[in-house]
Amino acid sequence: MPDYLDEVRETCIAGGDEGELASYIPELAAADPDRLAIALCTIDGTVYAVGDAEHRFTIQSLSKPFAYALALADRGLDEVLEHVSVEPSGDAFNEISIDREGRPRNPMINIGAITTHALVGDAEATAEESTARVIAGLSAFAGRELEVDEAVYASERESADRNMALAYMVRAQGKLQDAPRAAVDGYTRQCSVLVDVRDLAVMAMTLASSGRNPVTGEQVVPAWVCRQVLSVMATCGMYDAAGDWMSNVGIPAKSGVSGGVLGALPGQVGIGVFSPRLDGFGNSVRGVRACERLSRDMGLHLMQAPEVASHVLYGVVDPDGDDDGMREITLQGTMHFAAAEVALRELERVPEDGRPVVVDLARVSSANDVGRRMLREGVRRLQLDGHDVRVQDPEGVLDD
Ligand code: GLN
């Protein structure tokens, strides 16, 4: 893996050095434009990193999906949706993008993220409490105590006129819980948290692992929250380049103005890239290039579904061809809807001859709720038909 990632890094460099450093936050304009780091985190918490992996930079907009996750966990989906919508804006990240109901169009652009920051914590939380909870939450996603870069914070706070304008706009719409100054200060602190690419990869993998940090084992937010956050990342995470990104790379992702990109492929991998030169959408040029390459090489496109369903039948032994006179149906792999449907059709085919049926699940590696429900129902119906059904389930995949 490190050799492969080194190769990806080399091709990203060879691809050219287009793009510009962000300059509207004075402190960011001082970044070394040539730095490039790439990290991957696997489902079991193994982290691979190459390039300037020790270099820390401010998280900026990469914090937005995590603050959104915390707001969802604290307030629930309905309340958050009352304040911030989930539609792609079609505008730049710092535009006044509000819908007819006065809601910011999504939580991945500044106007939505400032609003979301103020929703973290309970309804009585002060602005300071929301910010403290956001920083602690980002740390839980990363699995270590994160700090704020006070110099970047001060630099952005001083030049935050545009974000102040956005905050006043949402406040006027009745959607901002805190006073504009306090909300922007808190949001700016959130953006000034220091991370490296390993942190990004672990944070991304936590989202991709239904909210469980793969390194610390902590359940940071509930699973439903991650599904919501990843969906919004997929449609809005790369700003106005989201469509191109989704068709080309196919990984729910988020970019930030300091040059970070993170990608979270559900159940598979968390990616963190850092390279400060940005394209016209505000996305890191080499960050995008690295993700394109990783997606292509490793088949990570979300829409490229693995064909598992048809392999679910490992074997079927007919009672007449077997010494013990039992019908044995052996299933394998992952039991989700499509696989369970194939399995049910096989159970359906069992003739009503009253002979015992063995349903062997020893080779089934995992099942989701739907897969479990469908299989249980299939077994129940065989029993109703008068069969003695013996389910062999040594790993207890049907139990949960
Ligand atoms: N802190 C930055 C801002 O509010 C974040 C924007 C970004 O990373 N795209 O402008």
Side-chain angles (χ1 to χ4, degrees):
M1 287 301 299
D3 291 349
Y4 165 67
L5 290 179
D6 265 329
E7 192 191 308
V8 172
R9 188 172 176 275
E10 290 307 318
T11 46
C12 286
I13 293 170
D17 63 357
E18 322 80 273
E20 303 290 335
L21 291 182
S23 57
Y24 75 96
I25 301 172
E27 198 72 13
L28 290 186
D32 174 355
D34 290 322
R35 285 193 195 275
L36 175 56
I38 306 174
L40 292 190
C41 178
T42 65
I43 191 135
D44 62 0
T46 303
V47 179
Y48 300 100
V50 297
D52 301 299
E54 311 304 320
H55 177 70
R56 290 193 174 156
F57 48 93
T58 51
I59 187 167
Q60 299 299 339
S61 284
L62 302 168
S63 62
K64 291 170 179 172
F66 304 99
Y68 184 50
L70 296 168
L72 289 166
D74 291 349
R75 298 293 183 90
L77 182 59
D78 292 344
E79 196 178 335
V80 173
L81 282 178
E82 271 170 31
H83 292 82
V84 186
S85 182
V86 289
E87 297 301 332
S89 69
D91 291 326
F93 69 89
N94 53 7
E95 279 301 317
I96 304 172
S97 303
I98 47 180
D99 67 9
R100 283 206 204 105
E101 289 155 53
R103 296 177 300 173
R105 286 200 191 277
N106 70 67
M108 302 295 139
I109 50 177
N110 286 11
I111 192 165
I114 294 166
T115 311
T116 302
H117 180 97
L119 289 172
V120 176
D122 61 33
E124 273 75 51
T126 62
E128 291 72 28
E129 284 165 352
S130 294
T131 306
R133 160 108 172 104
V134 169
I135 311 256
L138 290 172
S139 300
F141 272 106
R144 72 176 184 88
E145 202 73 32
L146 302 177
E147 285 166 9
V148 170
D149 184 324
E150 297 293 341
V152 174
Y153 170 68
S155 168
E156 183 169 355
R157 188 184 186 278
E158 284 308 303
S159 52
D161 295 338
R162 207 180 162 103
N163 284 339
M164 285 297 293
L166 299 177
Y168 273 109
M169 194 68 201
V170 231
R171 179 77 174 178
Q173 303 288 342
K175 301 293 181 196
L176 184 63
Q177 181 172 311
D178 296 328
R181 181 78 260 177
V184 170
D185 283 356
Y187 161 77
T188 308
R189 282 195 88 74
Q190 167 190 320
C191 289
S192 304
V193 162
L194 282 166
V195 288
D196 58 31
V197 281
R198 285 173 205 275
D199 296 325
L200 294 183
V202 173
M203 295 172 89
M205 194 61 218
T206 302
L207 284 179
S209 306
S210 301
R212 188 178 167 277
N213 183 313
V215 177
T216 64
E218 183 186 351
Q219 186 73 39
V220 182
V221 288
W224 70 266
V225 164
C226 295
R227 194 180 69 178
Q228 175 73 12
V229 173
L230 291 170
S231 308
V232 177
M233 283 166 68
T235 49
C236 312
M238 300 302 275
Y239 306 124
D240 211 15
D244 193 31
W245 172 272
M246 201 54 204
S247 51
N248 208 6
V249 180
I251 300 174
K254 186 74 202 81
S255 63
V257 75
S258 55
V261 178
L262 68 79
L265 189 64
Q268 289 210 55
V269 70
I271 301 172
V273 189
F274 173 69
S275 170
R277 288 196 197 87
L278 308 180
D279 63 20
F281 298 107
N283 300 328
S284 164
V285 175
R286 285 178 174 168
V288 170
R289 206 175 278 157
C291 292
E292 281 173 352
R293 172 84 201 260
L294 291 172
S295 171
R296 209 171 343 114
D297 288 352
M298 301 197 289
L300 299 179
H301 201 295
L302 202 57
M303 299 307 167
Q304 194 178 302
E307 278 203 36
V308 289
S310 54
H311 303 306
V312 64
L313 281 182
Y314 178 76
V316 178
V317 176
D318 194 74
D320 295 324
D322 197 35
D323 298 343
D324 56 15
M326 285 201 259
R327 177 172 279 104
E328 285 168 33
I329 299 173
T330 304
L331 305 174
Q332 65 177 354
T334 309
M335 202 56 62
H336 49 39
F337 167 77
E341 189 275 336
V342 174
L344 283 194
R345 247 185 295 145
E346 192 57 38
L347 299 187
E348 182 100 75
R349 256 200 288 275
V350 172
E352 287 184 38
D353 56 9
R355 289 163 106 165
V357 181
V358 175
V359 179
D360 186 353
L361 303 179
R363 291 169 180 273
V364 172
S365 50
S366 65
N368 68 6
D369 282 348
V370 175
R372 271 192 286 271
R373 248 171 41 219
M374 289 172 74
L375 269 191
R376 280 210 210 98
E377 179 64 9
V379 168
R380 194 180 74 89
R381 290 194 180 198
L382 279 180
Q383 288 166 336
L384 287 179
D385 285 344
H387 292 279
D388 169 13
V389 187
R390 301 171 198 177
V391 180
Q392 288 174 1
D393 185 11
E395 300 296 330
V397 289
L398 279 196
D399 289 349
D400 199 5

